[in-house]
Amino acid sequence: MSLTGILVVDKPSGWTSFDVIAKLRGVLGTRKLGHSGTLDPMATGVLPVFAGAASKAVDLQPNQNKTYLATLRLGLATDTGDITGAVLKTAPVTAGEAELRAVLPGFVGQRMQVPPMYSAVKIGGQPLYKLARAGKTVQRAARPIVIYKLEYLGRLSPSDHRLRVECGKGTYVRALAEELGAALGLPATLAALRRTRAGLFDEEQAHTLEEIIAARETGGEEALGRLLLGADAVFASLPALTVDEGAVARLLNGAPVYRCAAPNGQYRLYTGAGVFLGLGRAEGRALTAQKLLIERK
């Protein structure tokens, strides 16, 4: 059994993103799996998993923005940037809702952010988290990020506040929590984090691991297939173009299709039967395949 498509997983707390992939290899019957946007073990929420030929689409997504619900805890700093880490510092909480609301606008927009030591960013070929686990701290260059919206949702306790973060690819919410604390003159960390949207996929489309496993056990491949989205969902913003059998054969063999009547531009390509082939570009009445996302038989 081998399935192709996008399975939006609701990642449980305590699992790494790799744990989810490892579990799904057996469930979906394929080792061709990729995921979009790593989630920390503590975090829950939307983890799109690309299976089979669809795994080629992971790095092609035009929209890789994310939305998070975060619980910011003031008065505490840890080595990981969240409450799973070792405590580095505590302090009385001297700021509340008004002070936090006042500093939030300063973090919206394009800015630079230093990735945390506990991250998958590589320096000298070594992931930072491996160095951190060995007790090492190294200099990290700040990277450009963008935060589109930072919304205050309410206070849970004198130290805990709920935020909604809409941001671009590569933003570390753990690092943002520490930066917010620094702006208030306080240590800070993440008490909870849930991703509600990753690119085009949101939590309403997500399935728990229990649901996914139950689908396989009760309905087999057919039931699992109903949970998967087509790889073309990633490219919904592009116009669709249907090609005939002769054109399909040429495209699959890496040859261009001439006398193409489509206007110049990029397209989602489909067979006459509605099977998604991948991405193509029309230029000067010639159509070429850019990336084919179909299983070869």
Side-chain angles (χ1 to χ4, degrees), residues 10-269:
D10 190 337
K11 189 191 85 67
S13 180
W15 288 59
T16 67
S17 298
F18 182 78
D19 289 338
V20 173
I21 292 296
K23 182 67 175 179
L24 291 179
R25 281 176 180 152
V27 175
L28 299 178
T30 179
R31 297 192 62 82
K32 294 181 180 178
L33 293 178
H35 68 275
S36 176
T38 300
L39 281 174
D40 295 332
M42 181 194 75
T44 65
V46 177
L47 181 69
V49 175
F50 294 66
S55 61
K56 301 175 186 177
V58 172
D59 295 327
L60 300 176
Q61 298 175 82
N63 180 353
Q64 298 196 41
N65 296 337
K66 312 290 194 303
T67 301
Y68 297 92
L69 294 179
T71 300
L72 172 69
R73 178 163 296 173
L74 300 176
L76 174 69
T78 71
D79 60 350
T80 61
D82 61 40
I83 56 170
T84 66
V87 174
L88 299 178
K89 185 179 181 181
T90 61
V93 178
T94 55
E97 176 181 340
E99 292 82 3
L100 180 54
R101 282 183 178 273
V103 302
L104 292 181
F107 289 85
V108 177
Q110 294 183 341
R111 47 194 301 271
M112 302 296 287
Q113 185 183 70
V114 177
M117 277 300 302
Y118 279 89
S119 68
V121 173
K122 291 184 178 180
I123 292 183
Q126 186 86 329
L128 284 174
Y129 68 83
K130 290 189 176 181
L131 297 172
R133 288 172 182 168
K136 299 177 181 178
T137 300
V138 297
Q139 287 292 115
R140 290 97 68 200
R143 298 180 169 205
I145 64 164
V146 59
I147 296 178
Y148 299 105
K149 185 181 290 187
L150 191 48
E151 183 181 359
Y152 185 84
L153 298 181
R155 190 179 76 167
L156 301 177
S157 72
S159 61
D160 287 7
H161 301 264
R162 290 271 280 171
L163 304 172
R164 179 181 287 111
V165 184
E166 296 181 18
C167 57
K169 179 182 178 181
T171 303
Y172 286 92
V173 183
R174 285 180 289 124
L176 174 62
E178 294 176 332
E179 292 164 350
L180 289 170
L184 297 170
L186 289 170
T189 195
L190 274 185
L193 184 66
R194 178 169 179 80
R195 187 158 68 197
T196 59
R197 176 174 287 275
L200 297 174
F201 310 107
D202 61 35
E203 60 185 342
E204 293 183 359
Q205 299 168 295
H207 305 279
T208 66
L209 288 176
E210 290 80 7
E211 290 172 334
I212 296 165
I213 293 168
R216 186 191 70 169
E217 292 176 346
T218 59
E221 184 174 354
E222 183 178 350
L224 276 176
R226 289 195 290 268
L227 302 183
L228 270 66
L229 303 172
D232 55 344
V234 174
F235 311 106
S237 61
L238 295 177
L241 180 64
T242 299
V243 294
D244 60 30
E245 290 185 13
V248 170
R250 289 186 64 83
L251 292 170
L252 291 178
N253 286 320
V257 176
Y258 298 107
R259 298 179 184 175
C260 174
N264 291 350
Q266 189 178 34
Y267 292 89
R268 288 177 286 133
L269 302 180

